[in-house]
Amino acid sequence: RKEVEQDPGPFNVPEGATVAFNCTYSNSASQSFFWYRQDCRKEPKLLMSVYSSGNEDGRFTAQLNRASQYISLLIRDSKLSDSATYLCVVSYSGNTPLVFGKGTRLSVIA
Amino acid sequence: GAVVSQHPSWVICKSGTSVKIECRSLDFQATTMFWYRQFPKQSLMLMATSNEGSKATYEQGVEKDKFLINHASLTLSTLTVTSAHPEDSSFYICSARDRGVYLDGYTFGSGTRLTVV
């Protein structure tokens, strides 16, 4: 079983749509959780951290369920510029490497 | 914010040659540098963890004699792919922790796309 598993995608949605990504992680000792965005042939960039209380940043909302070891990302009012691969990422402690999911590709279509 | 400069951004080399990739932390001290590799449509996979002044720790399946990592200073870590072969063609990327920052303090280099012909 992979440490971090995500929806396989790809997701092709029209502009303005709401899209949700799901992710599960296998290590219950995971401490930190993130969503990263990766554009083609570029480095991943932090989109947002994910907290148990849930957090929102503009059109993006992230949720964490530690009991189910489940993380989600909701994107509202999709823009063309949201087209990218979204990576679910976990970390076990302060100085351990990030563990990446395979990513889910999103294409927002005009 | 913290910046990691990675060079080269892309390189094409002949089979059997060696390629060195550099990652420099420009405005912070990186005691730990993580090196990842990403094949097309795959996840970033950790290759090794390097700590300044000590030997790197390699992940299972990664040949330490093939992928030489040097972290001689708090601002520079290098990865050398020795005797490169076409199957080593991949996207290599480094990531560093800013000593003074927890949680979100992971900074990535811009990556190096290696093509071995």
Side-chain angles (χ1 to χ4, degrees):
Chain A
R1 181 183 175 189
K2 294 188 184 303
E3 291 187 72
V4 180
E5 295 201 63
Q6 297 184 238
D7 285 345
F11 284 56
N12 300 311
V13 302
E15 274 187 290
T18 296
V19 61
F21 300 142
N22 303 315
C23 168
T24 57
Y25 60 95
S26 61
N27 191 329
S28 59
S30 300
Q31 296 292 322
S32 304
F33 309 89
F34 312 94
W35 283 101
Y36 275 73
R37 168 192 171 131
Q38 186 176 26
D39 292 287
C40 189
R41 296 176 176 264
K42 299 286 187 181
E43 76 275 22
K45 293 187 176 178
L46 179 66
L47 180 64
M48 58 197 307
S49 300
V50 189
Y51 306 111
S52 296
S53 55
N55 48 305
E56 185 174 313
D57 182 3
R59 298 181 293 108
F60 300 85
T61 300
Q63 296 278 352
L64 167 65
N65 184 321
R66 284 186 181 269
S68 303
Q69 296 179 200
Y70 171 91
I71 307 165
S72 67
L73 176 68
L74 185 74
I75 304 175
R76 292 181 298 277
D77 189 23
S78 299
K79 311 291 185 188
L80 293 176
S81 57
D82 294 333
S83 298
T85 296
Y86 290 83
L87 305 168
C88 179
V89 185
V90 305
S91 173
Y92 303 131
S93 68
N95 203 35
T96 57
L98 298 176
V99 181
F100 289 83
K102 195 173 176 178
T104 302
R105 181 164 176 75
L106 171 66
S107 292
V108 181
I109 305 164
Chain B
V3 176
V4 173
S5 175
Q6 182 171 348
H7 294 281
S9 55
W10 62 270
V11 58
I12 301 173
C13 72
K14 290 185 178 180
S15 187
T17 60
S18 296
V19 174
K20 179 184 281 190
I21 301 169
E22 289 190 353
C23 279
R24 293 181 183 272
S25 55
L26 298 186
D27 49 6
F28 70 100
Q29 294 180 325
T31 51
T32 303
M33 188 77 75
F34 304 108
W35 286 94
Y36 293 86
R37 177 169 56 182
Q38 185 178 34
F39 292 107
K41 298 186 179 181
Q42 298 295 315
S43 178
L44 277 78
M45 296 300 296
L46 181 69
M47 298 176 66
T49 300
S50 72
N51 294 295
E52 183 263 338
S54 63
K55 290 184 178 181
T57 302
Y58 290 81
E59 294 300 299
Q60 191 173 9
V62 178
E63 299 175 56
K64 62 179 181 180
D65 295 329
K66 180 172 181 61
F67 299 99
L68 302 179
I69 291 174
N70 185 285
H71 195 157
S73 76
L74 286 171
T75 59
L76 174 65
S77 179
T78 62
L79 167 67
T80 301
V81 183
T82 62
S83 187
H85 290 285
E87 58 264 29
D88 297 324
S89 298
S90 186
F91 186 61
Y92 293 85
I93 190 164
C94 61
S95 174
R97 290 302 307 279
D98 183 339
R99 292 175 80 182
V101 180
Y102 187 56
L103 286 180
D104 298 351
Y106 293 90
T107 302
F108 285 85
S110 55
T112 298
R113 189 159 300 280
L114 171 64
T115 302
V116 185
V117 298

